[in-house]
Amino acid sequence: MSHEVDEYNSKDEPKETSGGMDHSPSDDSSDWRRTKRVYAYCADRLGLDLLVDLGQKKLVPIHRTTPFYYLGGMALFLVIVMFGTGVLLALHYKPSADRAFDSVQSIMTDVQFGWLIRSVHAWGAALLIAVLILHLLTTYMMRAYRRPREYTWVTGCFLLGLFMAFGFSGYLLPWNQLAFFATRVGTAIVGVVPVVGEELLIWARNGEDVTGDTLARFHSLHVSIFPLIALVLLGAHLFLVQKHGMSVPDAAAKAAGGKNRVPSIPFVPDFLLRDAVGWYLAIALLALLSAIFPWELGEQADPFGSAPEGIKPEWYFMFMFQALKLIPAHVFGLEGEMLGVMFFGFCGLIVLLVPFLDWGQRSRQVLNGLAIISLIFAIVMTIWGYLA
Amino acid sequence: MATRNGSSSRRKWLLQALIGVVSATAAGIAFPVLAFLRPRRQLVAGGLEVVAPYKVNQLERDANGEWPAPFDFGGKPCLLIKKPDGTVKAFNAVCTHLECTVTYRSDQQDIFCNCHNGVFNTDGQTVSGPPPKPLEEYDVTLRGEQIIVSRS
Amino acid sequence: MKNLPVILVMLVSAGVLLRMAEQQTVAQVESENTTEAEQKIAEATSRKDSSCMKCHGEADLWEGDRLRYFITENHLAKDLHWKKGIQCDDCHGGNPESMNFREAHSAEAGYRVISTPQDIPQFCGHCHSNVEYMSRYSPSPKTNQESDFWTGGHGRRLKENPEAGVANCVSCHGFHGILPIDDQTSPTYPKNVAKTCATCHSDAEKMAGIDYHGRPIGHDQYELWSTSVHASLLMEKGDLSAPTCNDCHGNHGAVAPDVNSVASACATCHVKIGELFNSASMKHRFEQASLPGCATCHGKHDIHQPTDDLLGLDMGAVCASCHLDGKFGATLAGSMEAKMMGERLKELKERIASSEAKVEHAEQLGMEVRRAKFRLHDAHTALNNARVAIHSFAQEPMKETIEKGLSVTQEVDEQAEAALREHTFRRIWLALFLVPIAMAVVLLILFIQTQPPPTIQNLEH
């Protein structure tokens, strides 16, 4: 609560605790004394001092690209929103092929504010992936993945993959036409992986085709297995962020004349307050989107009906979907699909290994070139996918 | 020592206002969440298990000779029939031919579709006429005189 | 001992070779056995007809006009009779075991001659009119085809004049390649019946000069029927229960339904309407005026989806054609009844349309109104029932179903309005929810501004 910043020497402002609280230790109101007593009681028994230490130590450098730091906090906030709304949805959702659609329809019509919770969950997912992608790109641009933060990057990459898997598994749960066929196509892609593809496909679908069994599997992945993995990875990621502090980009350090000459603010509460502004804006955006564009329900899946027109995956899979659609059936005697899947797998691996590939001016130029090309590729493919 | 000036009292005011407004937003979030936790409206015991609006002893023709009309069962009309031996059965009353609603003819012990003369027996099997498939049957559970219809 | 592996390999390979040779001979013997057995079976089954086919299956023996006597098993392969094991002589009679032409085709041996088309119904009836024989194939066989045929229009004309060129059994069923009616390629498959009839009945030349009940028979029936609601149901929707020629005119005893029994033909499917019409006074009026029941208003072959415009006194209304001019003793009072019915229908239709619009509006606003939409089916059903009730030619029977439809539309309206209210509620909720959030954001920014500015600190803690 009382974080003294000795270096702080403002002329206009009175010397303040950067705790930012109204009460300073010198304020001897009874209120404050009571708070102090409660804190002391808890700190003593719950080891709060460790957390407080961690909070106090963390500083956030202020420079031109500081706004990028908000993305991580924003992602964390959205993850919390997703956990919250997800837990709520699970209270009304019924994971079986013949009841899933009805129960989601019921959530949208009969359950009070069901439309809101479901729409926030669906819009939140889209927003989360967007924020994560921006987080990844800005981290790359600031080269914040360098020693000693390699594993912060690696865990982050895994988290992005995991949240995409969250999105993919969650897309099927309403058991509507679009989701059913998108899942069929999406899982079929797994099947073209060499050697283990077929086995993987059977495993992913929990059978030879997308059925109620697939729904059961996707549901269990979505609500229990993925969240557990997410907690572990997120814990590791946050621990590493906390451990290594915020990375200062080269340009900012140079502009300030040395890394240690970059001005900074304490994370608690200054940066947290700024984060909170973003979070409120995110809540407002989600409420706005949900109230005005409630997430669609579609038509109940008919496994034996023909595929509906315009089946499309979630937007963040669109570039892959479109690229795989365009790839010819056979390239150099190899199956086109397989080649495409291998290519995307390889791209993913490169992204994951960025911290270990950036070993000099030359390799960085190659990486930057690749990054720009793949970014343009993904954007073009996504737009193409939506226009087609 | 910190001096108390305008700026500080402004902070104090801001902080108090902030606490109030943040509480208001928290309440704004808590309200839909608490409302969401309540059971859904309209439905008694799930969309696929409904207590029929008729008791067993009400399953007979009324003064006009009309059999109790089908009731809404998850968006589909559900026809209840009672055989002479007292067995109660429930069917999806949508004719499998061209989706007219069928009726029960208790005197002839069959289910009849007015539109194209389709006849089903009391097990929902087609007896004559154009219907291509038997009627969809629902499960019936009796709790005293109460009829509970469910779809597995 | 050094050579041991080599010897072992040689021994093993020799063993394998021997085993393979053995298997080969066994296989050969087996294949010889099967061909022998097959031949025996083939001989046994074609024993009788082999003498028919010896001549009739010989392509060189037949030419020109007589080529139609050239029959091989290939010709018969798909034939329903052939598949059931019925042989040449089962239909044609004669002595299949004789190789002498005269003996084989002699009357003593029971050879049945077809000299004119007149002989054909009897030829088929030899079995098909024989209850005892037909019972082998069906527990309650139909054996009235031949007798039906002679009572029908085709049969009567055939009896009068063997060379009339009218249809007989083979015209529709074919002969050596007769297919069951449930075979999709059969000319008697429901979807093909109209086309089969049309081969003659759409032929202007063939139909020229033929009168039916004093009127020329015409050749436009198929064309007219093709535009009908029945044809589109049968041909496009594939509803095999939809009527084609034979469903109204009969199968073998094809005639046009009698003027007064048109309604009975229609009522085989349109049960409820038939019931209402039969008990309506209008039926007797029609009978008195020799008007052909249903066809008076709905037409004969080109029966289209009826519209509500048919009812009433306006342009295109069928009631008007008699009631306005007082034809056949039709009264203006009767036409008022029709007008009232038309207005009731219109009311329900308008209410349904307005409910639909409301539901649609709610749907466009992104509200979930599937249930209300589904409920609208009931209103449509009520409307259809009301349309059925028109055929009682009185307002009263229609009233109940109209009222039911109106109550459904009211219910749907309520649901749609509830959805619209919910839509408004969501916006109000959003606005209310955004107020504290906007305030929180503003206050947070103001508060952040009161926080101390950034300082230079050691970032490497």
Side-chain angles (χ1 to χ4, degrees), chain A residues 50-62:
Chain A
L50 272 175
L51 291 176
V52 171
D53 247 21
L54 219 59
Q56 282 175 347
K57 259 191 202 151
K58 188 164 178 185
L59 294 170
V60 179
I62 299 295

Side-chain angles (χ1 to χ4, degrees), chain C residues 36-50:
Chain C
E36 213 170 290
E38 271 169 12
Q39 269 169 2
K40 269 186 192 160
I41 292 166
E43 269 168 37
T45 50
S46 60
R47 177 186 47 80
K48 281 200 289 177
D49 61 76
S50 59

Side-chain angles (χ1 to χ4, degrees), chain C residues 205-358:
Chain C
E205 254 172 62
K206 267 192 189 154
M207 292 298 124
I210 301 180
D211 280 0
Y212 187 81
H213 282 280
R215 276 174 292 130
I217 193 164
H219 54 86
D220 54 357
Q221 296 91 338
Y222 175 70
E223 219 175 293
L224 291 172
W225 174 83
S226 299
T227 66
S228 74
V229 63
H230 294 138
S232 81
L233 265 178
L234 176 64
M235 305 307 284
E236 282 152 38
K237 279 184 135 184
D239 182 350
L240 297 186
S241 66
T244 178
C245 311
N246 65 314
D247 291 297
C248 298
H249 294 282
N251 296 318
H252 300 100
V255 282
D258 181 70
V259 168
N260 293 334
S261 64
V262 168
S264 313
C266 301
T268 47
C269 299
H270 298 280
V271 188
K272 191 82 191 168
I273 294 178
E275 270 172 28
L276 289 171
F277 182 74
N278 278 332
S279 53
S281 59
M282 191 64 92
K283 186 186 181 222
H284 307 295
R285 303 269 162 74
F286 278 14
E287 276 170 10
Q288 280 160 14
S290 291
L291 291 171
C294 310
T296 314
C297 303
H298 294 283
K300 289 181 291 190
H301 297 105
D302 53 341
I303 299 163
H304 298 293
Q305 181 74 49
T307 64
D308 295 333
D309 297 337
L310 291 180
L311 186 67
L313 297 172
D314 303 330
M315 279 281 289
V318 287
C319 307
S321 61
C322 296
H323 282 277
L324 271 191
D325 306 343
K327 254 196 260 172
F328 307 113
T331 61
L332 215 58
S335 68
M336 288 315 288
E337 193 82 1
K339 199 174 168 201
M340 292 305 291
M341 284 198 280
E343 271 164 19
R344 303 226 65 169
L345 272 187
K346 207 170 143 199
E347 186 193 351
L348 179 55
K349 254 197 317 189
E350 277 165 5
R351 286 287 297 278
I352 290 176
S354 103
S355 298
E356 261 169 356
K358 277 181 191 160

Side-chain angles (χ1 to χ4, degrees), chain A residues 57-213:
Chain A
K57 259 191 202 151
K58 188 164 178 185
L59 294 170
V60 179
I62 299 295
H63 46 80
R64 225 156 47 87
T65 47
T66 296
F68 291 164
Y69 294 138
Y70 294 128
L71 289 167
M74 179 65 86
L76 180 62
F77 173 72
L78 287 172
V79 168
I80 292 166
V81 169
M82 296 308 287
F83 268 78
T85 49
V87 165
L88 287 175
L89 285 173
L91 296 174
H92 286 289
Y93 177 72
K94 299 187 182 86
S96 80
D98 47 353
R99 304 183 75 170
F101 183 82
D102 280 347
S103 69
V104 176
Q105 183 176 26
S106 192
I107 288 172
M108 291 300 278
T109 50
D110 303 327
V111 178
Q112 295 178 55
F113 284 103
W115 57 273
L116 178 68
I117 304 295
R118 174 166 181 259
S119 301
V120 166
H121 194 70
W123 279 114
L127 212 58
L128 171 61
I129 299 284
V131 168
L132 286 177
I133 291 172
L134 287 178
H135 189 39
L136 177 104
L137 289 175
T138 52
T139 308
Y140 176 78
M141 278 157 60
M142 295 194 291
R143 299 179 67 214
Y145 51 77
R146 285 173 298 173
R147 201 183 79 91
R149 298 185 178 82
E150 295 99 325
Y151 292 95
T152 320
W153 171 273
V154 169
T155 49
C157 285
F158 278 124
L159 276 168
L160 174 60
L162 182 69
F163 282 113
M164 284 171 91
F166 256 118
F168 185 70
S169 55
Y171 196 51
L172 180 67
L173 299 191
W175 199 246
N176 57 31
Q177 278 293 77
L178 227 53
F180 177 82
F181 284 98
T183 304
R184 226 185 208 178
V185 174
T187 46
I189 287 170
V190 177
V192 302
V193 172
V195 191
V196 289
E198 206 158 312
E199 203 45 48
L200 266 180
L201 176 77
I202 300 252
W203 183 88
R205 286 182 177 175
N206 198 4
E208 291 205 333
D209 209 338
V210 177
T211 59
D213 293 0

Side-chain angles (χ1 to χ4, degrees), chain C residues 39-347:
Chain C
Q39 269 169 2
K40 269 186 192 160
I41 292 166
E43 269 168 37
T45 50
S46 60
R47 177 186 47 80
K48 281 200 289 177
D49 61 76
S50 59
S51 80
C52 297
M53 296 270 183
K54 268 188 186 133
C55 299
H56 284 281
E58 217 34 74
D60 303 342
L61 293 175
W62 313 101
E63 52 182 24
D65 197 27
R66 299 173 66 83
L67 204 58
R68 65 197 157 106
Y69 297 125
F70 170 55
I71 310 292
T72 64
E73 288 193 31
N74 284 346
H75 288 108
L76 294 164
K78 282 187 177 168
D79 188 274
L80 174 68
H81 298 106
W82 184 255
K83 277 191 187 164
K84 294 211 180 220
I86 291 164
Q87 303 288 334
C88 305
D89 62 301
D90 290 327
C91 294
H92 292 280
N95 183 356
E97 276 160 28
S98 169
M99 281 299 290
N100 178 299
F101 172 79
R102 286 200 184 283
E103 208 180 295
H105 299 86
S106 69
E108 294 84 59
Y111 183 72
R112 287 190 282 282
V113 185
I114 301 174
S115 51
T116 70
Q118 240 177 3
D119 299 332
I120 292 173
Q122 214 172 345
F123 182 91
C124 298
H126 180 71
C127 296
H128 279 279
S129 297
N130 183 342
V131 180
E132 202 183 336
Y133 180 85
M134 291 307 288
S135 302
R136 294 185 206 173
Y137 299 102
S138 156
S140 51
K142 271 190 175 173
T143 49
N144 54 354
Q145 294 96 330
E146 188 194 347
S147 56
D148 277 10
F149 175 78
W150 291 121
T151 63
H154 296 127
R156 272 184 275 174
R157 285 177 61 84
L158 186 64
K159 210 167 235 173
E160 281 165 22
N161 176 12
E163 305 302 329
V166 297
N168 56 56
C169 312
V170 299
S171 319
C172 299
H173 292 283
F175 45 108
H176 286 136
I178 297 172
L179 298 170
I181 56 162
D182 55 2
D183 185 314
Q184 295 198 14
T185 59
S186 162
T188 51
Y189 182 69
K191 277 187 164 187
N192 304 335
V193 165
K195 199 91 207 178
T196 303
C197 298
T199 46
C200 297
H201 282 276
S202 288
D203 187 331
E205 254 172 62
K206 267 192 189 154
M207 292 298 124
I210 301 180
D211 280 0
Y212 187 81
H213 282 280
R215 276 174 292 130
I217 193 164
H219 54 86
D220 54 357
Q221 296 91 338
Y222 175 70
E223 219 175 293
L224 291 172
W225 174 83
S226 299
T227 66
S228 74
V229 63
H230 294 138
S232 81
L233 265 178
L234 176 64
M235 305 307 284
E236 282 152 38
K237 279 184 135 184
D239 182 350
L240 297 186
S241 66
T244 178
C245 311
N246 65 314
D247 291 297
C248 298
H249 294 282
N251 296 318
H252 300 100
V255 282
D258 181 70
V259 168
N260 293 334
S261 64
V262 168
S264 313
C266 301
T268 47
C269 299
H270 298 280
V271 188
K272 191 82 191 168
I273 294 178
E275 270 172 28
L276 289 171
F277 182 74
N278 278 332
S279 53
S281 59
M282 191 64 92
K283 186 186 181 222
H284 307 295
R285 303 269 162 74
F286 278 14
E287 276 170 10
Q288 280 160 14
S290 291
L291 291 171
C294 310
T296 314
C297 303
H298 294 283
K300 289 181 291 190
H301 297 105
D302 53 341
I303 299 163
H304 298 293
Q305 181 74 49
T307 64
D308 295 333
D309 297 337
L310 291 180
L311 186 67
L313 297 172
D314 303 330
M315 279 281 289
V318 287
C319 307
S321 61
C322 296
H323 282 277
L324 271 191
D325 306 343
K327 254 196 260 172
F328 307 113
T331 61
L332 215 58
S335 68
M336 288 315 288
E337 193 82 1
K339 199 174 168 201
M340 292 305 291
M341 284 198 280
E343 271 164 19
R344 303 226 65 169
L345 272 187
K346 207 170 143 199
E347 186 193 351

